[in-house]
Amino acid sequence: MSANDEPLLSVDNLQTSFYTEEGEVKAVNDVSYQIDSGERFAVVGESGAGKSVTSLSLMRLIDDPGRIKGGDVTFRSTSAVATLAREFPEGVATENSSGYIHVDELRAESGSVGSDPGATVRDQPKEVATDLEDGSLHVEAGHVDVLDAPDEAMQELRGAEIAMIFQDPHTALNPVYTIGEQIAEAVRKHLDMGDAAARERAIEMLDRVGIPDAEERYSDYPHEFSGGMQQRAVIAIALSCDPSLIVADEPTTALDVTIEAQILDLLKELSDDEDVAIQLITHDLGVVAELCDSVMVMYAGKPVERSSVEELYYDPKHPYTVGLMSSIPRIGDDRDRLDTVPGTMPDLVQLPSGCSFHPRCPYAEDACIQHEPPLVDTETGEPVEEPDADIHTAACLEYTGDLQDGVEFDVQIREDAAADGGESL
């Protein structure tokens, strides 16, 4: 947990749309979740479910014709708050002004204006802002309202505190700069290193992600790397500045199984040893089982199930989740064809009435067409307003008592499948 036992990242009712000639595409529609320091959190679903747009939204990387319509993204990193408070003192929230940097607790050097141990920004707003700028006050707790921060502040956050591993290395890497220089550039900017130190750091990161002859490959251009090596270079850039949160969008897609295992081990090490939080976007439920602690399943721009990874695999609650798991290939499976989720993702311009999944759901009833199910506690049927990793939630009328026939599926755990993080459904 971060300061005051609050989550490192809170996403509340995030809404992102794209405005096209056909109409408004509601790519992210009231998505909420939380990630603690050191937690490994997965977002899964089919292509078009809204996974990547959710992550790009919290990074503030949505371009026209897209727009973040609403919601809140709160980032509680003490180092991020301290850095932004000193570089952008005008953004510090006080009792006399609004701001996107909220400083809750301060520690003052002896003799400074805010030397009272209980002093806060609200006590002496002007003096405290000055002391933050000159460094005589030290931040011990606070948060940043990411969606309210100006572009200059986001440039400080990206890379240094929140790093993203992009899905496509061909577009993430600049073709006219060497691989090493692209890593060193981020290091010089965020870690305040000189050229020689930044070069050594870049070589160290290339070696860490499994690039052979890292010192020699430092001066290579992206086109001189294979696709898998380009992906590892993108991962090296993301890891280079010791971020508090890594947003990984399909980070192992282009990698062979040996390098994939090395990268997953590296992410685990960062999470366990350095308390780095990871938000993983993936189609690969095997990777989720291997790496993550908790998971959110998305469908048509909305979360339809949230739980711990163990509960999701051993006791899935939403028919869509069951469909995804049934399609996983398994060693020793003698089926001629894998199971699939029938149909396709709905048009996000004109979503179906009621439950968005009902046209593809084998258990759909009239109530599913008429009523949109909220995320509810699957044990009590009560709506869950705040995301809670300890509560298994699903957006299905089965758990509100509105279905006549109910939802029935059988989860059978095989020993060999359990060892691989899977199960039969």
Side-chain angles (χ1 to χ4, degrees), residues 259-272:
I259 299 301
E260 176 182 279
Q262 292 176 9
I263 295 301
L264 293 179
D265 286 343
L266 176 58
L267 292 176
K268 279 184 181 179
E269 178 186 325
L270 289 169
S271 175
D272 293 337

Side-chain angles (χ1 to χ4, degrees), residues 142-153:
H143 68 269
V144 178
D145 292 329
V146 173
L147 299 186
D148 294 332
D151 291 341
E152 295 80 4

